[in-house]
Amino acid sequence: MTRTTAGARKLYQQVVAAVGASIERGQYKPGQRLPSERDLAEEFSVSRPTVREAMLALEIRGLVEARHGSGIYVTDTPPVEAAAPDLDIGAFELTEARVLFEGEAAALAATTITEEQLVELEAILVEMVEENAGDAKGEQADRRFHVAIAEATRNAAIVTVIETLWDLRYRSPLCRHMLDRARLVGVKPRIDEHRRLLDALKARDPQRARKEMRDHLERVIEGLLAATEIEAVERARTEVAKQRTEYARRRVT
């Protein structure tokens, strides 16, 4: 498979299509373990996050399943005609775009932000701390924080782009699936990183603001990689199952 023969299809979709076709042809049989993530990345000349997105997309479609400490396996009874929903954009791809756009937006905002907007960001950061401490997903305040920085650029086009990138987190089934997994293992907005970004904006330092935003979002990618590791997800599932069992036992007794 090459980029030229695959046309404009997204990289992760190329991997999904190729592995799905191999399953359909019987190259990978029910119950068989797929090659390792590293081997697949080398085979298709793509990155590790791209392979991770592809495996999660195949799992959503019911073609493969993750087995604790073992790897990715073809399901014992894969669908005869696997559903192929429009999975759109994965969390890695989306966050990579945010690194580019939001990094430059932060640099511009550092030169145009007002005192009132800095006060607003301080208040939003307090809300983010409260959301992290509670049961909330912590994304409402996180979204407002990033959009407020975009608004500080005084450029409506930039605001629209960044709002769209955030909204894609909820509209794309694949992205939503990956983020749900991340939350399952406790990934939440990093307050210290947002604080350093806010300090750079207060200093009216565009280079520092750009760096802090890019560093923050690149660590988001690293966190997603860790959160979507098979072992981490399975440990979280096991813990949830234990809690449900304990809850059921308490109700009975």
Side-chain angles (χ1 to χ4, degrees), residues 235-246:
R235 282 197 298 271
R237 285 176 174 168
T238 299
E239 184 60 31
V240 169
K242 287 181 180 178
Q243 292 175 357
R244 286 176 176 167
T245 300
E246 177 62 17

Side-chain angles (χ1 to χ4, degrees), residues 89-109:
I89 298 172
F92 296 117
E93 187 178 14
L94 178 64
T95 308
E96 185 178 49
R98 290 182 60 203
V99 170
L100 296 174
F101 289 105
E102 293 200 51
E104 295 309 308
L108 178 57

